[in-house]
Amino acid sequence: MVKSMGYFVLVALLALAPLCLSHKIHGGGGRGGYLHPQFYDHSCPQLHQIIKSVVAQAVSRDRRMAASLLRLHFHDCFVKGCDASLLLDNGGGIVSEKGSNPNRNSVRGFEVIDAIKAAVEKACPHTVSCADIFAVVARDSTVIAGGPNWEVPLGRRDSRGATLSGSNNDIPAPNNTFNTILTKFKRQGLDLIDLVALSGAHTIGNARCVSFRQRLYNQNRNGQPDFTLDQVYAFKLRNQCPRSGGDQNLFFLDYVSPFSFDNSYYRNILANKGLLNSDQVLLTKNHASMQLVKQYAENMELFFDHFSKSIVKMGNISPLTGMQGEIRQNCRRINAY
């Protein structure tokens, strides 16, 4: 009798094990379900190696690509949740999010996602969602740039639509006020720690002149620059970012170590050399945020720990699960039925 009871207890524990390792989803969408890292262990065991290989090749060809791929995950999750709606092209009644103000002439790396999807479909047809590919790519892009590693909860499905208005309204903008940015985070179930930690993704990548020009010439619409910006740094920026023209000229978000995922972004902010207004206000507009900037500038391990937890939390925003949505065969368009 004791042996049989022990057997049933063991079976019960094994049945519950996936739930112990799973992540409850959250966010404004109210969709139910769980995500867990082992979702494709049996149906597509090659998944992680395929993605890691393609990302490594892409970054070896273009060092900017790590930041570009990481950014795609952010811009997807903040609109309708993490459902790969960002990948859909115009057509068939869909107005692509790629044409929104935050994305137009800015987001890139779609061809890398295409290459990953093609390789995954060849190995595991009709199995892995584009939304899950986004999530794993974000992790691998961070790691290849020297950043933290984390387990990626999986099990998302792909949307059958996009929302241009959501992309325009829900993605934090570089010239938003601190309170506006925090409000946009809170709408997604994210908090102030998530805001400051995830902003650290700006330790790699570039921004366009048009994204911060107002700081150089007309911060408060009074013809004056932003005096919270180091003026020597501002002078250098003006050389390549004039009052008019040069909108697409690129500048490192972290001029100290632009291709290394580290904590120099926060040190730059403390030196009043955050490039975007949305970077510098982390120091100047909120005491709790200022304290986190100082802590991350001093302790990279703390930043890595918080970033890892926050990006997993972001990746759990309102995904489609179970029988919701679909597994797209081509990430750029919905399946034909």
PDB file of all heavy atoms in Angstrom, residues 281-298:
ATOM      1  N   VAL A 281      15.405  61.360 -19.012  1.00  0.00           N
ATOM      2  CA  VAL A 281      14.362  61.597 -18.003  1.00  0.00           C
ATOM      3  C   VAL A 281      14.339  60.506 -16.939  1.00  0.00           C
ATOM      4  O   VAL A 281      13.756  60.705 -15.864  1.00  0.00           O
ATOM      5  CB  VAL A 281      12.958  61.732 -18.638  1.00  0.00           C
ATOM      6  CG1 VAL A 281      12.886  62.976 -19.526  1.00  0.00           C
ATOM      7  CG2 VAL A 281      12.563  60.475 -19.403  1.00  0.00           C
ATOM      8  N   LEU A 282      14.961  59.369 -17.205  1.00  0.00           N
ATOM      9  CA  LEU A 282      15.074  58.329 -16.175  1.00  0.00           C
ATOM     10  C   LEU A 282      15.837  58.856 -14.967  1.00  0.00           C
ATOM     11  O   LEU A 282      15.637  58.391 -13.836  1.00  0.00           O
ATOM     12  CB  LEU A 282      15.779  57.089 -16.728  1.00  0.00           C
ATOM     13  CG  LEU A 282      15.118  56.362 -17.892  1.00  0.00           C
ATOM     14  CD1 LEU A 282      15.984  55.182 -18.331  1.00  0.00           C
ATOM     15  CD2 LEU A 282      13.714  55.900 -17.550  1.00  0.00           C
ATOM     16  N   LEU A 283      16.701  59.849 -15.203  1.00  0.00           N
ATOM     17  CA  LEU A 283      17.503  60.436 -14.125  1.00  0.00           C
ATOM     18  C   LEU A 283      16.855  61.685 -13.547  1.00  0.00           C
ATOM     19  O   LEU A 283      16.942  61.925 -12.339  1.00  0.00           O
ATOM     20  CB  LEU A 283      18.902  60.789 -14.651  1.00  0.00           C
ATOM     21  CG  LEU A 283      19.865  61.413 -13.644  1.00  0.00           C
ATOM     22  CD1 LEU A 283      20.316  60.372 -12.620  1.00  0.00           C
ATOM     23  CD2 LEU A 283      21.095  62.004 -14.362  1.00  0.00           C
ATOM     24  N   THR A 284      16.188  62.458 -14.374  1.00  0.00           N
ATOM     25  CA  THR A 284      15.806  63.815 -13.972  1.00  0.00           C
ATOM     26  C   THR A 284      14.363  63.990 -13.526  1.00  0.00           C
ATOM     27  O   THR A 284      14.031  65.017 -12.933  1.00  0.00           O
ATOM     28  CB  THR A 284      16.068  64.798 -15.133  1.00  0.00           C
ATOM     29  OG1 THR A 284      15.289  64.397 -16.282  1.00  0.00           O
ATOM     30  CG2 THR A 284      17.541  64.816 -15.512  1.00  0.00           C
ATOM     31  N   LYS A 285      13.502  63.009 -13.786  1.00  0.00           N
ATOM     32  CA  LYS A 285      12.071  63.255 -13.568  1.00  0.00           C
ATOM     33  C   LYS A 285      11.419  62.379 -12.505  1.00  0.00           C
ATOM     34  O   LYS A 285      10.228  62.549 -12.232  1.00  0.00           O
ATOM     35  CB  LYS A 285      11.312  63.079 -14.894  1.00  0.00           C
ATOM     36  CG  LYS A 285      11.734  64.044 -15.990  1.00  0.00           C
ATOM     37  CD  LYS A 285      11.510  65.485 -15.580  1.00  0.00           C
ATOM     38  CE  LYS A 285      11.857  66.452 -16.711  1.00  0.00           C
ATOM     39  NZ  LYS A 285      11.678  67.867 -16.319  1.00  0.00           N
ATOM     40  N   ASN A 286      12.158  61.436 -11.909  1.00  0.00           N
ATOM     41  CA  ASN A 286      11.549  60.543 -10.930  1.00  0.00           C
ATOM     42  C   ASN A 286      12.633  60.036  -9.981  1.00  0.00           C
ATOM     43  O   ASN A 286      13.655  59.515 -10.436  1.00  0.00           O
ATOM     44  CB  ASN A 286      10.861  59.375 -11.644  1.00  0.00           C
ATOM     45  CG  ASN A 286      10.166  58.424 -10.695  1.00  0.00           C
ATOM     46  OD1 ASN A 286      10.808  57.559 -10.112  1.00  0.00           O
ATOM     47  ND2 ASN A 286       8.863  58.568 -10.542  1.00  0.00           N
ATOM     48  N   HIS A 287      12.396  60.158  -8.689  1.00  0.00           N
ATOM     49  CA  HIS A 287      13.435  59.798  -7.709  1.00  0.00           C
ATOM     50  C   HIS A 287      13.723  58.301  -7.717  1.00  0.00           C
ATOM     51  O   HIS A 287      14.891  57.885  -7.691  1.00  0.00           O
ATOM     52  CB  HIS A 287      13.002  60.237  -6.303  1.00  0.00           C
ATOM     53  CG  HIS A 287      14.002  59.905  -5.247  1.00  0.00           C
ATOM     54  ND1 HIS A 287      15.193  60.605  -5.104  1.00  0.00           N
ATOM     55  CD2 HIS A 287      14.015  58.929  -4.287  1.00  0.00           C
ATOM     56  CE1 HIS A 287      15.891  60.071  -4.107  1.00  0.00           C
ATOM     57  NE2 HIS A 287      15.208  59.063  -3.598  1.00  0.00           N
ATOM     58  N   ALA A 288      12.666  57.472  -7.756  1.00  0.00           N
ATOM     59  CA  ALA A 288      12.871  56.019  -7.748  1.00  0.00           C
ATOM     60  C   ALA A 288      13.614  55.568  -8.999  1.00  0.00           C
ATOM     61  O   ALA A 288      14.492  54.698  -8.944  1.00  0.00           O
ATOM     62  CB  ALA A 288      11.527  55.301  -7.633  1.00  0.00           C
ATOM     63  N   SER A 289      13.272  56.163 -10.122  1.00  0.00           N
ATOM     64  CA  SER A 289      13.965  55.847 -11.371  1.00  0.00           C
ATOM     65  C   SER A 289      15.429  56.269 -11.288  1.00  0.00           C
ATOM     66  O   SER A 289      16.330  55.530 -11.713  1.00  0.00           O
ATOM     67  CB  SER A 289      13.259  56.560 -12.529  1.00  0.00           C
ATOM     68  OG  SER A 289      13.977  56.419 -13.723  1.00  0.00           O
ATOM     69  N   MET A 290      15.678  57.447 -10.739  1.00  0.00           N
ATOM     70  CA  MET A 290      17.049  57.927 -10.585  1.00  0.00           C
ATOM     71  C   MET A 290      17.887  56.957  -9.752  1.00  0.00           C
ATOM     72  O   MET A 290      19.039  56.666 -10.101  1.00  0.00           O
ATOM     73  CB  MET A 290      17.045  59.302  -9.924  1.00  0.00           C
ATOM     74  CG  MET A 290      18.431  59.852  -9.614  1.00  0.00           C
ATOM     75  SD  MET A 290      18.372  61.415  -8.694  1.00  0.00           S
ATOM     76  CE  MET A 290      17.757  60.838  -7.109  1.00  0.00           C
ATOM     77  N   GLN A 291      17.303  56.432  -8.681  1.00  0.00           N
ATOM     78  CA  GLN A 291      18.024  55.498  -7.830  1.00  0.00           C
ATOM     79  C   GLN A 291      18.375  54.217  -8.581  1.00  0.00           C
ATOM     80  O   GLN A 291      19.472  53.659  -8.420  1.00  0.00           O
ATOM     81  CB  GLN A 291      17.194  55.178  -6.584  1.00  0.00           C
ATOM     82  CG  GLN A 291      17.028  56.349  -5.633  1.00  0.00           C
ATOM     83  CD  GLN A 291      18.366  56.895  -5.134  1.00  0.00           C
ATOM     84  OE1 GLN A 291      19.273  56.135  -4.770  1.00  0.00           O
ATOM     85  NE2 GLN A 291      18.505  58.208  -5.140  1.00  0.00           N
ATOM     86  N   LEU A 292      17.454  53.734  -9.421  1.00  0.00           N
ATOM     87  CA  LEU A 292      17.736  52.535 -10.212  1.00  0.00           C
ATOM     88  C   LEU A 292      18.843  52.791 -11.229  1.00  0.00           C
ATOM     89  O   LEU A 292      19.717  51.943 -11.437  1.00  0.00           O
ATOM     90  CB  LEU A 292      16.466  52.068 -10.925  1.00  0.00           C
ATOM     91  CG  LEU A 292      15.448  51.350 -10.045  1.00  0.00           C
ATOM     92  CD1 LEU A 292      14.115  51.210 -10.780  1.00  0.00           C
ATOM     93  CD2 LEU A 292      15.964  49.972  -9.630  1.00  0.00           C
ATOM     94  N   VAL A 293      18.828  53.964 -11.871  1.00  0.00           N
ATOM     95  CA  VAL A 293      19.898  54.313 -12.815  1.00  0.00           C
ATOM     96  C   VAL A 293      21.250  54.252 -12.107  1.00  0.00           C
ATOM     97  O   VAL A 293      22.225  53.689 -12.633  1.00  0.00           O
ATOM     98  CB  VAL A 293      19.655  55.711 -13.424  1.00  0.00           C
ATOM     99  CG1 VAL A 293      20.897  56.187 -14.187  1.00  0.00           C
ATOM    100  CG2 VAL A 293      18.451  55.698 -14.357  1.00  0.00           C
ATOM    101  N   LYS A 294      21.319  54.809 -10.905  1.00  0.00           N
ATOM    102  CA  LYS A 294      22.581  54.804 -10.152  1.00  0.00           C
ATOM    103  C   LYS A 294      22.998  53.381  -9.786  1.00  0.00           C
ATOM    104  O   LYS A 294      24.177  53.022  -9.886  1.00  0.00           O
ATOM    105  CB  LYS A 294      22.424  55.657  -8.898  1.00  0.00           C
ATOM    106  CG  LYS A 294      22.305  57.146  -9.173  1.00  0.00           C
ATOM    107  CD  LYS A 294      22.137  57.945  -7.877  1.00  0.00           C
ATOM    108  CE  LYS A 294      22.076  59.430  -8.152  1.00  0.00           C
ATOM    109  NZ  LYS A 294      21.880  60.224  -6.912  1.00  0.00           N
ATOM    110  N   GLN A 295      22.026  52.567  -9.368  1.00  0.00           N
ATOM    111  CA  GLN A 295      22.347  51.186  -8.991  1.00  0.00           C
ATOM    112  C   GLN A 295      22.844  50.383 -10.185  1.00  0.00           C
ATOM    113  O   GLN A 295      23.824  49.631 -10.069  1.00  0.00           O
ATOM    114  CB  GLN A 295      21.111  50.517  -8.395  1.00  0.00           C
ATOM    115  CG  GLN A 295      20.716  51.039  -7.019  1.00  0.00           C
ATOM    116  CD  GLN A 295      19.406  50.443  -6.538  1.00  0.00           C
ATOM    117  OE1 GLN A 295      19.127  49.268  -6.774  1.00  0.00           O
ATOM    118  NE2 GLN A 295      18.584  51.249  -5.880  1.00  0.00           N
ATOM    119  N   TYR A 296      22.191  50.526 -11.331  1.00  0.00           N
ATOM    120  CA  TYR A 296      22.604  49.783 -12.526  1.00  0.00           C
ATOM    121  C   TYR A 296      23.959  50.266 -13.030  1.00  0.00           C
ATOM    122  O   TYR A 296      24.748  49.470 -13.550  1.00  0.00           O
ATOM    123  CB  TYR A 296      21.563  49.914 -13.632  1.00  0.00           C
ATOM    124  CG  TYR A 296      20.210  49.292 -13.320  1.00  0.00           C
ATOM    125  CD1 TYR A 296      19.070  49.673 -14.038  1.00  0.00           C
ATOM    126  CD2 TYR A 296      20.057  48.345 -12.322  1.00  0.00           C
ATOM    127  CE1 TYR A 296      17.828  49.115 -13.767  1.00  0.00           C
ATOM    128  CE2 TYR A 296      18.822  47.785 -12.046  1.00  0.00           C
ATOM    129  CZ  TYR A 296      17.707  48.182 -12.771  1.00  0.00           C
ATOM    130  OH  TYR A 296      16.479  47.633 -12.496  1.00  0.00           O
ATOM    131  N   ALA A 297      24.234  51.570 -12.894  1.00  0.00           N
ATOM    132  CA  ALA A 297      25.524  52.106 -13.318  1.00  0.00           C
ATOM    133  C   ALA A 297      26.660  51.529 -12.478  1.00  0.00           C
ATOM    134  O   ALA A 297      27.778  51.337 -12.967  1.00  0.00           O
ATOM    135  CB  ALA A 297      25.523  53.631 -13.214  1.00  0.00           C
ATOM    136  N   GLU A 298      26.376  51.215 -11.219  1.00  0.00           N
ATOM    137  CA  GLU A 298      27.388  50.683 -10.311  1.00  0.00           C
ATOM    138  C   GLU A 298      27.470  49.155 -10.337  1.00  0.00           C
ATOM    139  O   GLU A 298      28.519  48.584 -10.024  1.00  0.00           O
ATOM    140  CB  GLU A 298      27.082  51.131  -8.874  1.00  0.00           C
ATOM    141  CG  GLU A 298      27.194  52.628  -8.658  1.00  0.00           C
ATOM    142  CD  GLU A 298      26.711  53.049  -7.273  1.00  0.00           C
ATOM    143  OE1 GLU A 298      26.299  52.166  -6.495  1.00  0.00           O
ATOM    144  OE2 GLU A 298      26.748  54.264  -6.992  1.00  0.00           O
TER     145      GLU A 298
END
